[in-house]
Amino acid sequence: MEKNDTRAMNNRNNNHRYKVEMCSMKAPSNFLRNFKNPWRPSPSVDLTQTNMQPAYVPCNGCKHLLMVEENTRNVCCPSCQTITSVTKKKITRESEIPKGNYGKEMEANGLFPMDLPAPRRAKRAVLCGVTYQERKYRLKGTKYDVKDMYGLLFHYLGFSNDSIRLLTDEEKTPNLVPTKENIKHALQWLVKDCQAGDSLVFYFSGHGLRQPDFKNDELDGYDETICPLDFRTEGMILDNDLNTTLVRPLTRGVTLHAIVDACHSGTILDLPYVYDTKRKNWIDNHPPSGTEKGTRGGFAVCISACQDDKLAADTSAFKGKVMKGAMTFSFIEAIKRNPNRMSYGALLDSMQNTINQVNPGNCFKVKLQKLLRCNTIPEPLLSSSEKFDVSSTIFKL
């Protein structure tokens, strides 16, 4: 068994997302190998330039229809990651597909080219997973986190494929790499022309840091940040920026959920209220400067991996061989167990129960953890643009 450890980005005194390993086996590499991102256009299939009908095959796993190029031998499903062999018997042309549910499945699987105008979606999401490849501070769990979150939104929560923008540093398409500029553009797309009834999701899995606050809008004196792939050269994305881009534009009837699995992410959206799970009440988080941090009538909620002064964790304790972000894993498991009607309080309790399985409470195991230099996984934090009854308000994406 490997010892749990904390790695620094630059030196041992820096705070960052730490790793909790419970298995000596390394996680498999090359996430999303052959993954066909719905936001990446296929260079060899251009429906605007040819009269040829698109060809589809059913996925061997989830049975969704997958568009295939000419002479393709195998195709990887973007939803369940199943590899399906392409044979003449399996191929179906567009004119042969019955309308109705199949048409909806085609649309949900992103079977329309990116360069064609996509219909406006009431549910939209931006998912960012940054591994910082080939750097000494790289993360193993984030590439699995973002894939799992994509699967949750698509399979369980009714998000169509063309409503999700997925940014990972394994992408070959330049505008899908999670650089600072690309993340900002994606967030602007997320809230653009938002209107009543919209449900927006921002997910980030990667490093988070803190830096001194010079605007007097932080109670603890520090700005929280997320680290894009190029943060060493282009800088970090501050909580002030995320609040301005994501929170302030929200009009009445629009709901935003941010799920941030990073260190120091407690108040990463600078929302006015933070929920205390022990006292069961809301804590005022308004900035001392009096700067307005709320919405324009919309509703913003953030579920963070830890408090502002804590470190998030990657761990293989849940799945043995594969590193996972502890907060992401516990969040997804909670939703899968009850995807329809679950209050925010029940969601937090379910997440904490999952985490407690890795954070045993008896004295002997606590001493064993200290002996092995294990870091306990912190409890998730809920913040909001307004106070609400956590025990009765239903969580819904």
Side-chain angles (χ1 to χ4, degrees), residues 1 4 19-23 313-326 329 354-355 357-360 369 375 377:
M1 179 181 295
N4 302 333
K19 180 183 72 173
V20 181
E21 286 197 67
M22 302 298 289
C23 178
D314 273 351
T315 178
S316 59
F318 298 116
K319 287 295 183 180
K321 297 181 181 180
V322 180
M323 297 292 289
K324 300 274 189 176
F329 180 85
T354 301
I355 291 173
Q357 297 175 14
V358 184
N359 289 339
Q369 282 187 313
N375 292 289
I377 299 172

Side-chain angles (χ1 to χ4, degrees), residues 7 17-21 26-29 31 128-132 137-149 168-170 203-207 261 313-316 321-329 332:
R7 297 181 181 178
R17 175 174 177 162
Y18 65 78
K19 180 183 72 173
V20 181
E21 286 197 67
K26 293 183 179 180
S29 59
F31 155 65
C128 301
V130 194
T131 62
Y132 314 92
Y137 47 84
R138 72 184 182 95
L139 296 170
K140 293 182 180 179
T142 54
K143 57 184 179 182
Y144 303 106
D145 293 344
V146 73
K147 181 186 75 169
D148 293 343
M149 185 60 68
T168 72
D169 46 3
E170 296 189 353
Y203 172 78
F204 179 84
S205 180
H207 280 302
D261 198 347
D314 273 351
T315 178
S316 59
K321 297 181 181 180
V322 180
M323 297 292 289
K324 300 274 189 176
M327 192 277 279
T328 301
F329 180 85
I332 292 175

Side-chain angles (χ1 to χ4, degrees), residues 73-117:
R73 294 184 178 181
N74 298 285
V75 61
C76 180
C77 177
S79 302
C80 66
Q81 305 303 304
T82 300
I83 304 296
T84 301
S85 61
V86 180
T87 64
K88 290 184 178 180
K89 291 182 179 181
K90 293 181 180 179
I91 291 179
T92 302
R93 294 293 176 180
E94 186 174 39
S95 60
E96 301 171 336
I97 300 175
K99 302 303 179 183
N101 291 334
Y102 269 107
K104 292 180 180 179
E105 284 195 5
M106 290 169 56
E107 185 178 351
N109 278 281
L111 301 181
F112 302 100
M114 183 181 176
D115 53 356
L116 294 180

Side-chain angles (χ1 to χ4, degrees), residues 195-245:
Q195 60 190 39
D198 285 357
S199 176
L200 314 177
V201 174
F202 169 57
Y203 172 78
F204 179 84
S205 180
H207 280 302
L209 290 172
R210 309 172 83 193
Q211 67 180 40
D213 162 43
F214 299 105
K215 296 183 178 180
N216 194 33
D217 60 0
E218 298 286 347
L219 293 176
D220 60 0
Y222 290 93
D223 281 318
E224 287 67 48
T225 72
I226 57 174
C227 300
L229 181 62
D230 56 351
F231 77 97
R232 295 289 295 273
T233 57
E234 300 301 320
M236 297 172 284
I237 300 177
L238 275 65
D239 48 7
N240 301 327
D241 301 328
L242 292 175
N243 182 275
T244 300
T245 304

Side-chain angles (χ1 to χ4, degrees), residues 279-295:
R279 297 181 179 179
K280 306 295 182 183
N281 61 5
W282 290 96
I283 300 173
D284 192 333
N285 189 50
H286 283 85
S289 63
T291 303
E292 180 57 51
K293 294 287 187 176
T295 69

Side-chain angles (χ1 to χ4, degrees), residues 279-350:
R279 297 181 179 179
K280 306 295 182 183
N281 61 5
W282 290 96
I283 300 173
D284 192 333
N285 189 50
H286 283 85
S289 63
T291 303
E292 180 57 51
K293 294 287 187 176
T295 69
R296 294 192 299 165
F299 181 47
V301 176
C302 182
I303 300 175
S304 307
C306 58
Q307 296 180 0
D308 289 338
D309 59 346
K310 303 296 183 183
L311 305 178
D314 273 351
T315 178
S316 59
F318 298 116
K319 287 295 183 180
K321 297 181 181 180
V322 180
M323 297 292 289
K324 300 274 189 176
M327 192 277 279
T328 301
F329 180 85
S330 63
F331 175 81
I332 292 175
E333 288 300 301
I335 301 299
K336 285 182 177 180
R337 283 194 289 265
N338 194 349
N340 297 319
R341 292 188 63 82
M342 178 171 53
S343 69
Y344 285 87
L347 172 63
L348 293 175
D349 289 342
S350 179

Side-chain angles (χ1 to χ4, degrees), residues 245-262:
T245 304
L246 285 177
V247 178
R248 297 294 294 143
L250 301 180
T251 55
R252 186 171 302 279
V254 180
T255 300
L256 167 74
H257 284 88
I259 299 100
V260 183
D261 198 347

